[in-house]
Amino acid sequence: MESCTECGAPMGPQSCDELFDALLALDHARQAPWGPLHGVSVSCFLLQHPGRLPADDGAMAWALLQAYLAGGLDAVNQLVGQARRGNSHRVKGRSSGDVRDTARPPRDAPRSRFSVTIHDVAVDGSFPSSEFAERVRAWAAATVEAWSCDT
């Protein structure tokens, strides 16, 4: 069976990209449980598929997962609010407290070392609402763990 070259997930009937597109469609409906976890889901996917990381090399995604695992959605919402205020046209440049200035994944991207991937969160490809939040929390924890390993 083939595996994703970036996250290591065994390929089922849908690729990681196809599952991500399906998840984004659910996220953008802004309905629970998918919508509130949009930033967490995107961060997990990007850090598990580092070829798609934005110019900040995953700093914001890393900071968002750290906030989520430490303080849940309230902490994520605070972080997002801080980032929005820092990006305001009313602010000249970034503030010295910008989380992206200090939050960096601790090492180079791991390859195929994730114990939970988008395929696990998708279950049957439909991202069922039942226990979705729990699956996303496990996805976030597995992503952080893999990026934090020394070997």
Side-chain angles (χ1 to χ4, degrees):
M1 178 179 276
E2 280 188 59
S3 296
C4 174
T5 59
E6 291 196 285
C7 75
M11 289 298 184
Q14 295 173 292
S15 70
C16 293
D17 287 336
E18 290 169 328
L19 289 173
F20 187 56
D21 289 343
L23 180 56
L24 289 178
L26 291 167
D27 287 354
H28 289 295
R30 297 186 182 187
Q31 293 181 0
W34 310 278
L37 290 166
H38 170 76
V40 176
S41 297
V42 169
S43 295
C44 288
F45 185 81
L46 292 176
L47 286 167
Q48 288 192 0
H49 297 85
R52 296 178 112 193
L53 283 174
D56 74 352
D57 292 326
M60 190 61 183
W62 180 253
L64 199 141
L65 290 187
Q66 295 293 320
Y68 177 66
L69 291 171
L73 283 176
D74 287 341
V76 167
N77 292 334
Q78 288 176 355
L79 180 63
V80 169
Q82 175 188 349
R84 282 188 183 134
R85 287 187 298 279
N87 288 334
S88 170
H89 69 281
R90 294 181 182 101
V91 176
K92 300 272 187 198
R94 283 189 183 158
S95 70
S96 61
D98 189 332
V99 71
R100 292 169 292 186
D101 291 339
T102 57
R104 294 275 186 243
R107 61 181 197 78
D108 291 335
R111 295 283 184 204
S112 305
R113 297 193 41 202
F114 302 101
S115 60
V116 178
T117 69
I118 194 166
H119 290 267
D120 300 302
V121 178
V123 180
D124 59 1
S126 71
F127 298 93
S129 62
S130 176
E131 299 183 9
F132 178 77
E134 292 82 359
R135 292 191 308 275
V136 169
R137 180 166 281 284
W139 191 19
T143 302
V144 168
E145 179 182 343
W147 274 87
S148 300
C149 287
D150 292 331
T151 57

